[in-house]
Amino acid sequence: MTAGGTICVYGAGSIGCYVGGRLAATGSTVTFVGRESLAGPVRTHGLRLTDWQGASLQVPPSALRFATDPAAASGADLVLVTVKSAATEAAGRELARVLAPTVLIASFQNGLHNAEELRRCLPGWTVLTGMVQFNVVNRGEGRFHHGSEGLLEIERHERLQPFLPAFECAGLPLALHDRMEPVQWAKLVLNLNNPINALSNLPLKEQLSQRPYRRCVALAQDEALGLLAAAGIAPAKLTPLPPRWIPTALRLPDAIFTRVAGRMLAIDPQARSSMWEDLQAGRRTEVDYLNGEIVQLARYLGRTAPVNARLVALMRDAESGGRREWSGPELLRELETAARA
Ligand SMILES: NC(=O)c1ccc[n+]([C@@H]2O[C@H](COP(=O)([O-])OP(=O)(O)OC[C@H]3O[C@@H](n4cnc5c(N)ncnc54)[C@H](OP(=O)(O)O)[C@@H]3O)[C@@H](O)[C@H]2O)c1
């Protein structure tokens, strides 16, 4: 058993199966709670976990406990919540019915307010804000691929200490932060690319190697960074380049960008954003919790965020059967027109 106790992954999809699978593969006791659509393949094939550096781990079905009933979380000492943002409230309510108040909970989700939402549903529990910096793709039949560098980030808390060796041992050491807000904003600014990636219908690396798409990202990020500065929010530095220099790097011509910002392309050629996966699977995307937050911030400041608002609208349209594939020049024209208007 993990030194700190047993771990439950609640909402076992791409992130949950990958993180929980690595913990299970390296000796932790892990319960996965998720949907039957994933439970079936995991029970049949187990988990095959690969990463962008060539690592490959196989966890046999016999070593995995995958349940679809929330009650399976009840024996856990630490619960990692890995549902998409729109599912957080329902997950929180389910957990409140089955967990003892002594259980530690960590949200490993994108967006700004998921841990807050869990705290509302689980008053009296300790809920920590976490963040996943890397990308994981579900390749079907229990195969999950970790396609880019990055860490698991989480707020520092004494109750997390006993679990740190398990994450270390799983090859996923936790980066501890006194304040998560700057980390969350920095990740959100990077995630503004998600709808652009989804609408490009290309793997991330191929999309980011095309300047017109990068210029779209730069427009969305510049808009966001201007609003963050106006609100007095300083995003953390999560990449080799500080956030404010990234739009400039993105606008460089392809040949120079590849040389100067090579590390920004340290991504597996097959990696895609989870927003692309959601769009392809016909699920509602997290665009409201990413680009939509910039639109909200603008509204709060009495300003506008036309580029991010247009990206939200294009994703809404794509989700409801509208256009799903834009070339870089077409998308750039669309966003520049929005910015001018
Ligand atoms: N994938 C990535 O590369 C990546 C990288 C960094 C951060 N993130 C963030 O990490 C979070 C998780 O993303 P993901 O890609 O792992 O999502 P995902 O693949 O959709 O996994 C979430 C799973 O949880 C299930 N679920 C939802 N509500 C549930 C409930 N109440 N009980 C049990 N299962 C439930 C979902 O099923 P249904 O779809 O049927 O609801 C889905 O199978 C998101 O906030 C995402 O933005 C993802």
Side-chain angles (χ1 to χ4, degrees), residues 14 84 110 135-137 194 197-198 204 272-279 283 285-286:
S14 298
K84 288 262 163 62
N110 278 338
N135 170 276
V136 176
V137 175
N194 287 13
N197 177 254
L204 278 161
R272 304 220 185 210
S273 69
S274 64
M275 198 171 287
W276 175 85
E277 274 192 67
D278 285 340
L279 191 59
R283 294 186 294 252
T285 70
E286 283 185 307

Side-chain angles (χ1 to χ4, degrees), residues 312-328:
V312 172
L314 292 178
M315 283 307 296
R316 284 279 159 272
D317 182 55
E319 285 168 11
S320 49
R323 183 168 176 185
R324 287 179 168 202
E325 195 168 329
W326 294 70
S327 73

Side-chain angles (χ1 to χ4, degrees), residues 10-16 33-35 38 82-85 87 90-91 94 108-110 114 132-137 187 272 274 277-278 283 286:
Y10 203 84
S14 298
I15 294 297
V33 179
R35 305 299 194 199
L38 274 165
T82 57
V83 298
K84 288 262 163 62
S85 304
E94 289 162 8
F108 277 112
Q109 300 166 277
N110 278 338
N114 287 300
V132 182
Q133 260 212 64
F134 52 80
N135 170 276
V136 176
V137 175
K187 180 72 193 311
R272 304 220 185 210
S274 64
E277 274 192 67
D278 285 340
R283 294 186 294 252
E286 283 185 307

Side-chain angles (χ1 to χ4, degrees), residues 184-308:
Q184 288 180 292
W185 276 109
K187 180 72 193 311
L188 188 137
V189 171
L190 295 174
N191 282 144
L192 298 179
N193 179 50
N194 287 13
I196 298 164
N197 177 254
L199 294 169
S200 75
N201 196 24
L202 292 172
L204 278 161
K205 185 164 186 164
E206 198 176 331
Q207 176 234 321
L208 287 172
S209 58
Q210 296 184 27
R211 190 177 184 216
Y213 286 124
R214 290 199 309 276
R215 289 178 62 197
C216 293
V217 188
L219 277 177
Q221 290 197 351
D222 268 341
E223 184 175 271
L225 290 167
L227 292 164
L228 288 182
I233 300 167
K237 180 176 174 290
L238 297 181
T239 54
L241 281 182
R244 69 179 185 286
W245 291 356
I246 294 179
T248 306
L250 289 168
R251 289 191 173 95
L252 292 169
D254 290 340
I256 306 176
F257 176 77
T258 313
R259 233 175 313 128
V260 172
R263 289 204 52 199
M264 285 172 78
L265 285 181
I267 306 171
D268 187 282
Q270 299 309 315
R272 304 220 185 210
S273 69
S274 64
M275 198 171 287
W276 175 85
E277 274 192 67
D278 285 340
L279 191 59
Q280 299 304 312
R283 294 186 294 252
R284 197 172 166 87
T285 70
E286 283 185 307
V287 73
D288 283 340
Y289 301 88
L290 303 173
N291 307 70
E293 288 287 358
I294 301 302
V295 179
Q296 292 293 336
L297 177 63
R299 213 166 279 152
Y300 172 76
L301 294 168
R303 295 166 67 160
T304 58
V307 172
N308 284 287

